[in-house]
Amino acid sequence: MARPASVVLTVALILMAQRVCSATRLPSRGCPTFTGTNTYASPPLPLPYDGYMPAIDNETMWLHYNRHAGGAITVVNTVLARYPALQPLPLAYLVQQLGSPTFVKKYNISAVDVTLLRNNGGSMINHALFWRIMTTYNTSTPTNLTAELAQKISATWGSPAVMLDALRSAAGTVFGSGWAWVVYRPDGSLKIVTTPNQDNPLMRKIVPADVEGVPLVGVDVWEHAYYLKYRNVRLQYLAQWGYLVDWKYVQRNYDLAKSGMIDSIYC
Ligand SMILES: *[C@@H]1O[C@H](CO)[C@@H](O)[C@H](O)[C@H]1NC(C)=O
Ligand SMILES: *[C@@H]1O[C@H](CO)[C@@H](O)[C@H](O)[C@H]1NC(C)=O
Ligand SMILES: *[C@@H]1O[C@H](CO)[C@@H](O)[C@H](O)[C@H]1NC(C)=O
Ligand SMILES: *[C@@H]1O[C@H](CO)[C@@H](O)[C@H](O)[C@H]1NC(C)=O
Ligand SMILES: [Fe+2]
């Protein structure tokens, strides 16, 4: 039976829209760690504080997790308490929308609170990813990425090890405090980008268009991440940090980014 052209066209448009939107669909999963009472808690640290040795020492990890990252969560909860309509939104979505005047107007968010959410909501999702992407120190390169991701990395950088080198080089050039990322770009390519302060590549219209993407890997280059052990020698921290990368989660984050499950990356 012949189908009316309009049905074929509609189906084609829906399929195209899904392709175009797949990198930015944000289903609500309430991550990182949503307590169910409209307040967030710290996402769990996968290993004990001393589980990241020798790359990151126990005391740095403890201070980083409890004091630096922990403080931001209190601020986010305080701001959200003023905006009941924002509370049901996934945090990654909320952070992504902060650069949109329409969104800010719709929820009547004051300029001061936009800045608080940008810095502290950014900190929350950035650190949630950072905790997730690190595991026990291991100098071996990964062996079990899917063929698709392995090929994409190979075509872009040559190998996972070279990708990490490029990430470390970019992280080394961040002026002051910030992050370096491997992102999944809206066109499906992979790219290394950096952001200042607690900005995240999801923050459309806040970060430049060529930085936008879904973060798969993120490395914290704020001094609080390394100063106790490495002092001012950031490159030494970065060299060691690369051996903590949990490639299982790089793969997971790639799969989630591709299917638009962006909020789940922060679980
Ligand atoms: C890790 O550091 C914290 C804070 O400095 C300390 O309370 C804890 O006992 C240390 N744990 C180990 C296993 O060294
Ligand atoms: C928007 O928020 C301000 C306080 O920041 C308040 O004075 C104003 O009434 C609010 N407007 C609406 C439409 O809710
Ligand atoms: C280190 O990584 C390699 C390659 O993925 C793996 O075979 C090995 O079991 C890992 N070692 C530890 C201690 O996890
Ligand atoms: C490789 O994949 C298996 C099965 O998914 C997983 O259990 C294992 O931890 C992975 N190894 C590494 C080094 O990622
Ligand atoms: Fe940090």
Side-chain angles (χ1 to χ4, degrees), residues 42 59-75 119-120 123-124 127 131 177 179 198 220 222-228:
S42 294
E59 197 185 1
T60 298
M61 213 62 206
W62 189 91
L63 287 167
H64 196 173
Y65 180 80
N66 290 288
R67 297 279 166 78
H68 295 280
I73 298 171
T74 311
V75 177
N119 291 338
N120 296 279
S123 172
M124 274 192 69
H127 286 101
W131 309 139
S177 299
W179 293 75
Q198 295 294 2
D220 189 343
W222 282 60
E223 280 184 346
H224 66 230
Y226 62 86
Y227 201 84
L228 288 182

Side-chain angles (χ1 to χ4, degrees), residues 169-237:
S169 300
T173 68
V174 172
F175 181 74
S177 299
W179 293 75
W181 312 91
V182 177
V183 296
Y184 180 82
R185 294 270 296 155
D187 67 1
S189 63
L190 301 180
K191 186 178 182 184
I192 287 167
V193 300
T194 65
T195 55
N197 305 314
Q198 295 294 2
D199 286 354
N200 180 291
L202 283 177
M203 294 176 178
R204 269 203 302 249
K205 296 184 184 155
I206 286 178
V207 299
D210 63 355
V211 168
E212 273 176 37
V214 182
L216 308 181
V217 183
V219 57
D220 189 343
V221 294
W222 282 60
E223 280 184 346
H224 66 230
Y226 62 86
Y227 201 84
L228 288 182
K229 182 171 164 73
Y230 298 97
R231 300 300 172 190
N232 57 313
V233 193
R234 185 193 284 176
L235 289 178
Q236 235 167 57
Y237 152 70

Side-chain angles (χ1 to χ4, degrees), residues 41-231:
S42 294
L45 196 60
L47 302 177
Y49 299 119
D50 59 356
Y52 303 88
M53 298 281 275
I56 303 178
D57 60 287
N58 168 32
E59 197 185 1
T60 298
M61 213 62 206
W62 189 91
L63 287 167
H64 196 173
Y65 180 80
N66 290 288
R67 297 279 166 78
H68 295 280
I73 298 171
T74 311
V75 177
V76 168
N77 287 336
T78 305
V79 175
L80 286 182
R82 292 198 279 273
Y83 300 89
L86 289 180
Q87 292 168 7
L89 301 180
L91 189 62
Y93 174 74
L94 167 56
V95 160
Q96 184 200 45
Q97 294 298 312
L98 288 173
S100 156
T102 315
F103 180 87
V104 169
K105 197 170 165 210
K106 176 178 172 191
Y107 290 95
N108 195 24
I109 313 173
S110 74
V112 170
D113 288 336
V114 167
T115 302
L116 285 174
L117 289 171
R118 173 179 173 181
N119 291 338
N120 296 279
S123 172
M124 274 192 69
I125 64 169
N126 294 347
H127 286 101
L129 177 65
F130 187 61
W131 309 139
R132 255 300 167 232
I133 208 71
M134 295 187 292
T135 189
T136 316
Y137 190 85
N138 189 337
T139 54
S140 303
T141 45
T143 49
N144 58 355
L145 298 175
T146 60
E148 182 187 323
L149 178 56
Q151 274 159 23
K152 205 167 262 194
I153 289 174
S154 166
T156 312
W157 293 286
S159 72
V162 178
M163 181 187 90
L164 274 189
D165 286 343
L167 178 67
R168 288 187 281 229
S169 300
T173 68
V174 172
F175 181 74
S177 299
W179 293 75
W181 312 91
V182 177
V183 296
Y184 180 82
R185 294 270 296 155
D187 67 1
S189 63
L190 301 180
K191 186 178 182 184
I192 287 167
V193 300
T194 65
T195 55
N197 305 314
Q198 295 294 2
D199 286 354
N200 180 291
L202 283 177
M203 294 176 178
R204 269 203 302 249
K205 296 184 184 155
I206 286 178
V207 299
D210 63 355
V211 168
E212 273 176 37
V214 182
L216 308 181
V217 183
V219 57
D220 189 343
V221 294
W222 282 60
E223 280 184 346
H224 66 230
Y226 62 86
Y227 201 84
L228 288 182
K229 182 171 164 73
Y230 298 97
R231 300 300 172 190

